[in-house]
């Protein structure tokens, strides 16, 4: 990620001078660039074009300018999806960063069976989302799920989890956190290991240990690392789709209909192509802006 | 300074808590796949039971799951090859000439939601009658594998000693020969990591296959998803399917565990 922020590297003058008899490899980027332009940039532009039209199944497309975007702003379903997306984003990102930081510190302290422990930490996020969704359905089932039974033995519940409009977002956030907190944990682990040991030794000499060391030394030094993790998770969380599509279908009602889910339903279930494209482009813009904000924060934080 | 005994116990407890939280759901999945349906839903859970292969038998004999798995394999392998074929030369050139824009372009294109590409793809590929073919599935998953291969390989090419390539140039080696005979063999470990990541991400991704696969090219992920949609009440079979499709990515992840962990610290590895 840091590569986005780094300015284009200028070619040293002496290398340019020596370069006359050299052959260039730059043509080697063209097949990949051509592929990305044809398969991704062109569809993006095409979707932008559709978003300016009143295009639905069976009707002649009609140019309507920004009408689709204006309609989005007054569509209560879209506004609901907008709110759901940000609420889920806030809850899940917070849980994943907090748990991830804890996991990173725990993993950093593991001395025995280090590789085994790290391998286990990798497993959740290498699993197909469909499998995670299936597991969530089975484990969180209100009547015969194991989680409610376990809670029942300590006198809690039964909770409706994915079936309750009130708890569905928290349930989805919890499942996503199970899958992705270890990912954040491994990033934090990498960050911790790149920190100079001398800082921690100095802190110890000064008597800064335990919680105070964590708050005043470790956390500030981890800032850039946590931001990297936050950016990576943000891109996925704002586009949240797989898990709700598989496990809740956006429901109950529209309680877990994220922006991406809304756009998918509008496009592929109601065939409102123009409207759906406008929603998807709005979402892309939201993702882009968020990443930009983080990139700026990261620049401000690096020393 | 050695940590005191209570601190060590606390540390062990934390590690144990993490391992249980990660592994318990997976263990539940695998155990359920070997239970008869009556035992799957039994509460309190039956930890001691007579294991059965019925669920797997049902999955492979009564449904097209074997064929679906084959489809997943073809699409994932094809998209991996596509990703490496396009991504590796690009990564080499980007690393050598320090041109950042193509890498940034792929990254920004990847930020758009997958649903955004689906509609134009569907319209365009319908017109050439390709929807439902392996070709279209491999091409569309290239949207994942090309950026992944490119970004995974960049640090490996960056680490190549420049003098090596320069001397090959002096000797009059042609560019493609330098790439094929010198650069690629030297980044072989990177190629393995990139290939595994491409394969796993394609195998796991289900939106493109959901919308663009046909009856004959349906992947294992899409088939399993349909099991949920059909309201399959045989949870044992459902968990057998989940176990089967989770297995390949987990085994592959095991193989590159070390590189994955070090790659994550630079934020380079991400689907």
């Amino acid at each position: 990620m840091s590569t986005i922020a780094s300015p284009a590297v200028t070619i040293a003058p002496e290398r340019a001078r020596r370069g006359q008899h050299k052959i260039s490899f730059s043509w080697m980027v063209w097949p990949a660039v051509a592929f990305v332009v044809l398969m991704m940039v062109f569809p993006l532009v095409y979707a932008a074009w559709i978003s300016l039209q009143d295009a639905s199944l069976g009707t002649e497309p009609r140019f309507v300018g920004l009408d689709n975007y204006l309609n989005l702003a007054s569509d209560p379903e879209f506004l609901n999806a907008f709110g759901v997306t940000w609420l889920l984003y806030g809850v899940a990102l917070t849980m994943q960063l907090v748990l991830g930081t804890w996991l990173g510190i725990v993993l950093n302290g593991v001395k025995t069976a280090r590789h085994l422990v790290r391998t286990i930490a990798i497993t959740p996020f290498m699993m197909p989302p469909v499998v995670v969704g299936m597991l969530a359905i089975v484990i969180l089932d209100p009547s015969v799920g194991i989680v409610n039974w376990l809670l029942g033995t300590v006198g809690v519940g039964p909770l409706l989890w994915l079936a309750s409009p009130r708890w569905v977002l928290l349930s989805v956030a919890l499942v996503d956190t199970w899958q992705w907190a270890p990912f954040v944990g491994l990033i934090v682990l990498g960050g911790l290991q790149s920190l100079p040991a001398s800082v921690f030794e100095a802190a110890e000499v000064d008597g800064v240990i335990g919680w105070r060391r964590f708050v005043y030394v470790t956390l500030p030094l981890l800032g850039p690392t946590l931001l990297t993790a936050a950016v990576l998770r943000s891109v996925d969380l704002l586009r949240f789709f797989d898990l709700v599509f598989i496990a809740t279908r956006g429901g109950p009602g529209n309680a877990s209909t994220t922006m991406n889910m809304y756009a998918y339903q509008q496009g592929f279930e109601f065939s409102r192509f123009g409207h759906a494209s406008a929603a998807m482009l709005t979402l892309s813009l939201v993702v882009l802006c968020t990443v930009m904000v983080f990139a700026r924060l990261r620049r401000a934080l690096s020393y | 300074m050695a940590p005191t005994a209570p601190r060590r116990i606390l540390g062990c407890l934390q590690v144990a808590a993490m391992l249980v939280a990660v592994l318990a759901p997976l263990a539940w999945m695998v155990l359920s796949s070997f239970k008869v349906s009556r035992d799957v839903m039994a509460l309190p859970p039956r930890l001691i039971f007579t294991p059965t292969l019925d669920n797997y038998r049902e999955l492979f004999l009564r449904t097209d799951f074997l064929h679906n798995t084959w489809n997943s394999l073809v699409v994932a392998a094809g998209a991996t090859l596509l990703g490496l074929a396009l991504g590796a030369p690009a990564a080499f050139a980007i690393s050598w000439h320090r041109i950042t824009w193509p890498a940034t372009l792929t990254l920004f294109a990847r930020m758009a939601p997958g649903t955004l590409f689906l509609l134009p793809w569907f319209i365009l590929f319908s017109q050439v009658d390709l929807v439902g073919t392996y070709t279209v599935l491999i091409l569309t998953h290239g949207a994942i594998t090309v950026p992944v291969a490119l970004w995974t390989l960049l640090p490996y090419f960056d680490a190549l000693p420049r003098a090596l390539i320069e001397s090959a140039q002096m000797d009059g080696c042609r560019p493609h020969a330098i790439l094929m005979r010198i650069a690629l063999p030297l980044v072989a470990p990177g190629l393995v990591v990139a290939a595994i990541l491409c394969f796993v991400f394609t195998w796991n991704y289900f939106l493109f296959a959901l919308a663009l696969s046909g009856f004959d090219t349906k992947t294992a992920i899409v088939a399993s998803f349909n099991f949920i949609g059909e309201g399959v009440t045989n949870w044992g079979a459902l968990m057998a399917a989940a176990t089967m499709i989770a297995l390949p990515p987990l085994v592959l992840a095991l193989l590159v565990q070390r590189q994955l962990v070090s790659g994550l610290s630079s934020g380079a590895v991400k689907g």
Side-chain angles (χ1 to χ4, degrees):
Chain A
M1 264 309 166
S2 60
T3 354
I4 318 177
S6 69
V9 178
T10 47
I11 297 164
E14 78 273 278
R15 198 189 298 152
R17 251 185 285 117
R18 281 193 293 136
Q20 297 116 350
H21 63 276
K22 283 196 179 161
I23 28 180
S24 165
F25 298 105
S26 42
W27 59 268
M28 288 180 182
V29 301
W30 292 114
V33 168
F35 179 85
V36 170
V37 167
L38 274 175
M39 289 297 293
M40 300 170 93
V41 178
F42 174 68
L44 237 148
V45 174
Y46 193 86
W49 170 239
I50 299 176
S51 79
L52 300 177
Q53 304 181 41
D54 179 14
S56 305
L57 200 66
T59 60
E60 197 61 31
R62 191 167 53 88
F63 186 83
V64 291
L66 292 174
D67 274 9
N68 284 326
Y69 292 91
L70 296 176
N71 287 342
L72 278 182
S74 58
D75 178 0
E77 290 290 317
F78 179 77
L79 296 178
N80 169 67
F82 192 81
V84 164
T85 302
W86 282 107
L87 186 61
L88 182 59
Y89 172 78
V91 173
L93 187 67
T94 309
M95 291 202 295
Q96 289 169 23
L97 287 181
V98 170
L99 261 176
T101 308
W102 171 71
L103 277 175
I105 292 171
V106 169
L107 285 173
N108 198 27
V110 172
K111 295 285 183 290
T112 45
R114 171 181 278 185
H115 287 298
L116 183 70
V117 173
R118 288 181 192 177
T119 307
I120 291 168
I122 289 173
T123 39
F125 61 87
M126 291 305 266
M127 297 237 300
V130 169
V131 170
V132 178
M134 286 159 116
L135 260 172
I137 292 173
V138 169
I139 288 178
L140 296 178
D141 187 277
S143 51
V144 285
I146 176 79
V147 170
N148 265 0
W149 180 81
L150 283 174
L151 287 178
T153 57
V154 291
V156 180
L159 300 174
L160 284 177
W161 298 107
L162 298 166
S164 142
R166 233 180 116 183
W167 297 109
V168 64
L169 276 189
L170 190 65
S171 310
V172 167
L174 275 172
V175 175
D176 195 70
T177 300
W178 176 80
Q179 196 176 13
W180 289 99
F183 173 80
V184 177
L186 288 172
I187 293 179
V188 170
L189 174 69
L192 282 173
Q193 289 180 338
S194 69
L195 295 180
S198 56
V199 177
F200 293 97
E201 283 157 15
E204 202 161 287
V205 170
D206 292 344
V208 183
I209 47 166
W211 266 106
R212 290 190 42 214
R213 185 177 71 177
F214 174 73
V215 173
Y216 295 111
V217 183
T218 317
L219 212 50
L221 285 173
L222 271 182
T225 308
L226 284 174
L227 276 177
T228 304
V231 172
L232 291 172
R233 286 315 298 138
S234 297
V235 174
D236 278 354
L237 283 170
L238 289 170
R239 303 184 301 182
F240 205 98
F241 182 78
D242 288 349
L243 195 55
V244 288
F245 187 79
I246 295 154
T248 73
R249 278 300 186 142
N254 57 11
S256 65
T257 304
T258 59
M259 278 165 83
N260 209 357
M261 185 72 200
Y262 169 86
Y264 180 89
Q265 286 174 337
Q266 293 294 321
F268 294 93
E269 284 167 26
F270 308 136
S271 298
R272 299 175 68 193
F273 303 137
H275 191 73
S277 299
M280 289 167 192
L281 274 156
T282 308
L283 173 58
S284 308
L285 211 64
V286 167
V287 175
L288 191 66
C289 290
T290 312
V291 169
M292 293 296 200
V293 168
F294 276 116
R296 183 145 294 190
L297 260 176
R298 199 175 191 285
R299 214 168 308 159
L301 257 186
S302 19
Y303 6 69
Chain B
M1 200 165 84
T4 52
R7 292 211 103 185
R8 281 179 70 164
I9 293 169
L10 192 69
C12 286
L13 280 178
Q14 292 185 74
V15 176
M18 181 204 106
L19 294 183
V20 168
V22 169
L23 290 178
L26 296 179
W28 188 249
M29 170 177 84
V30 177
L31 283 180
S32 302
S33 75
F34 291 108
K35 288 179 180 176
V36 294
S37 4
R38 183 165 30 86
D39 287 348
V40 175
M41 299 199 187
L43 290 175
R46 295 209 179 128
L47 290 176
I48 297 158
F49 59 93
T50 333
T52 169
L53 283 175
D54 282 0
N55 296 319
Y56 288 93
R57 220 169 278 142
E58 172 157 346
L59 188 66
F60 286 111
L61 297 181
R62 295 239 193 97
T63 72
D64 287 334
F65 199 74
L66 199 63
H67 182 63
N68 298 326
T69 309
W70 169 250
N71 289 337
S72 283
L73 210 71
V74 171
V75 172
T80 302
L81 284 180
L82 178 69
L84 290 180
L86 298 180
F92 177 57
I94 288 167
S95 160
W96 182 260
H97 293 293
R98 306 264 174 240
I99 27 175
T100 47
W101 69 264
T104 315
L105 175 78
T106 58
L107 203 65
F108 276 98
R110 276 292 287 141
M111 271 180 216
T115 43
L116 180 66
F117 302 120
L118 265 187
L119 207 60
W121 281 346
F122 198 82
I123 296 171
L124 296 171
F125 287 124
S126 299
Q127 277 166 1
V128 283
D129 254 343
L130 276 176
V131 173
T133 60
Y134 285 141
T135 314
V136 95
L137 288 175
I138 291 171
L139 270 177
T140 50
H141 284 91
I144 301 167
T145 57
V146 172
V148 166
L150 199 161
W151 278 89
T152 310
L153 285 169
L154 269 182
Y156 288 91
F157 282 122
D158 282 344
L160 281 187
R162 289 190 82 90
L164 209 67
I165 308 291
E166 275 165 356
S167 63
Q169 286 180 324
M170 300 289 191
D171 294 344
C173 226
R174 305 272 291 277
H176 63 91
I178 293 180
L179 175 72
M180 298 301 287
R181 302 235 185 97
I182 300 167
L184 284 185
L186 285 171
V187 297
L191 286 174
V192 173
V193 178
I196 286 181
L197 287 178
C198 287
F199 189 93
V200 169
F201 290 146
T202 307
W203 180 279
N204 287 357
Y205 203 82
F206 95 116
L207 179 64
F208 297 163
L210 179 77
L212 296 168
S213 66
F215 185 75
D216 284 336
T217 53
K218 200 195 277 175
T219 59
I221 297 272
V222 177
S224 321
F225 170 71
N226 288 346
F227 292 157
I228 313 173
E230 288 154 10
V232 173
T233 41
N234 184 353
W235 279 7
L238 206 64
M239 290 296 96
T243 308
M244 287 317 295
I245 54 179
L247 212 56
L250 293 189
V251 170
L252 289 172
L254 262 172
L255 294 178
V256 288
Q257 169 265 125
R258 221 169 278 221
Q259 291 87 333
L260 261 182
V261 172
S262 60
L264 278 175
S265 56
S266 57
V269 184
K270 184 67 184 67

